[in-house]
Coordinates of all heavy atoms in Angstrom, one line a residue:
Chain X
L335 N -3.1 215.1 101.5 CA -2.3 215.6 100.4 C -1.0 214.8 100.3 O -0.6 214.2 99.3 CB -2.0 217.0 100.4 CG -3.0 217.9 99.7 CD1 -2.7 219.4 99.9 CD2 -3.1 217.6 98.2
W336 N -0.4 214.7 101.5 CA 0.9 214.0 101.6 C 0.8 212.6 101.2 O 1.6 212.1 100.5 CB 1.5 214.2 103.0 CG 2.8 213.6 103.3 CD1 4.0 214.0 102.7 CD2 3.0 212.4 104.0 NE1 5.0 213.1 103.2 CE2 4.4 212.2 103.9 CE3 2.2 211.6 104.8 CZ2 5.0 211.1 104.6 CZ3 2.8 210.5 105.4 CH2 4.2 210.3 105.3
R337 N -0.2 211.9 101.8 CA -0.4 210.5 101.4 C -0.7 210.3 100.0 O -0.3 209.3 99.4 CB -1.5 209.9 102.3 CG -0.9 209.2 103.5 CD -2.0 209.0 104.6 NE -3.2 208.3 104.1 CZ -4.4 208.5 104.6 NH1 -4.6 209.4 105.6 NH2 -5.4 207.9 104.1
A338 N -1.5 211.2 99.4 CA -1.8 211.2 98.0 C -0.6 211.2 97.2 O -0.4 210.4 96.2 CB -2.8 212.2 97.6
H339 N 0.4 212.1 97.6 CA 1.6 212.1 96.8 C 2.4 210.9 97.0 O 3.0 210.4 96.1 CB 2.4 213.3 97.3 CG 1.9 214.6 96.8 ND1 2.2 215.9 97.3 CD2 1.1 214.9 95.8 CE1 1.6 216.8 96.7 NE2 0.9 216.2 95.8
Q340 N 2.4 210.3 98.2 CA 3.2 209.1 98.5 C 2.6 208.0 97.6 O 3.3 207.2 97.0 CB 3.0 208.7 99.9 CG 3.6 209.6 100.9 CD 5.1 209.5 101.0 OE1 5.5 208.3 101.2 NE2 5.9 210.5 100.9
E341 N 1.3 207.9 97.5 CA 0.6 206.8 96.8 C 0.5 207.1 95.3 O 0.0 206.3 94.5 CB -0.8 206.5 97.3 CG -0.8 206.0 98.7 CD -2.2 206.1 99.4 OE1 -3.2 206.2 98.6 OE2 -2.3 205.9 100.6
N342 N 0.8 208.3 94.9 CA 0.8 208.8 93.5 C -0.6 208.6 93.0 O -0.8 208.1 91.9 CB 1.7 207.8 92.8 CG 2.3 208.6 91.6 OD1 1.9 209.7 91.3 ND2 3.3 208.0 90.9
N343 N -1.6 209.2 93.8 CA -3.0 209.0 93.4 C -3.6 210.3 93.1 O -3.8 211.1 93.9 CB -3.7 208.3 94.6 CG -5.1 208.0 94.4 OD1 -5.8 208.7 93.6 ND2 -5.7 207.0 95.1
A344 N -3.9 210.5 91.8 CA -4.4 211.8 91.4 C -5.7 212.2 92.0 O -5.9 213.3 92.4 CB -4.5 211.9 89.8
D345 N -6.6 211.2 92.1 CA -8.0 211.5 92.6 C -7.9 212.0 94.1 O -8.5 212.9 94.5 CB -8.8 210.3 92.6 CG -9.3 210.0 91.2 OD1 -9.2 210.9 90.4 OD2 -9.7 208.8 90.9
R346 N -7.0 211.4 94.8 CA -6.9 211.8 96.2 C -6.1 213.1 96.4 O -6.4 213.8 97.3 CB -6.2 210.6 97.0 CG -6.8 209.3 96.8 CD -6.8 208.4 98.0 NE -7.4 209.0 99.1 CZ -7.1 208.8 100.4 NH1 -6.0 208.0 100.6 NH2 -7.7 209.3 101.4
V347 N -5.3 213.4 95.4 CA -4.7 214.7 95.4 C -5.8 215.8 95.3 O -5.8 216.8 96.0 CB -3.6 214.9 94.3 CG1 -3.2 216.3 94.2 CG2 -2.4 214.0 94.6
T348 N -6.7 215.5 94.4 CA -7.8 216.5 94.2 C -8.5 216.6 95.5 O -8.9 217.7 95.9 CB -8.7 215.9 93.1 OG1 -7.9 215.6 92.0 CG2 -9.7 217.0 92.7
L349 N -8.9 215.4 96.1 CA -9.7 215.4 97.3 C -8.9 216.3 98.4 O -9.5 217.1 99.0 CB -9.8 214.0 97.8 CG -10.5 213.8 99.2 CD1 -11.9 214.2 99.1 CD2 -10.3 212.5 99.8
G350 N -7.6 216.0 98.5 CA -6.8 216.8 99.5 C -6.9 218.2 99.3 O -7.0 219.1 100.2

Side-chain angles (χ1 to χ4, degrees):
Chain X
L335 270 176
W336 179 69
R337 263 163 52 209
H339 284 162
Q340 297 279 309
E341 293 166 16
N342 213 352
N343 182 333
D345 286 342
R346 305 211 63 208
V347 168
T348 313
L349 175 71

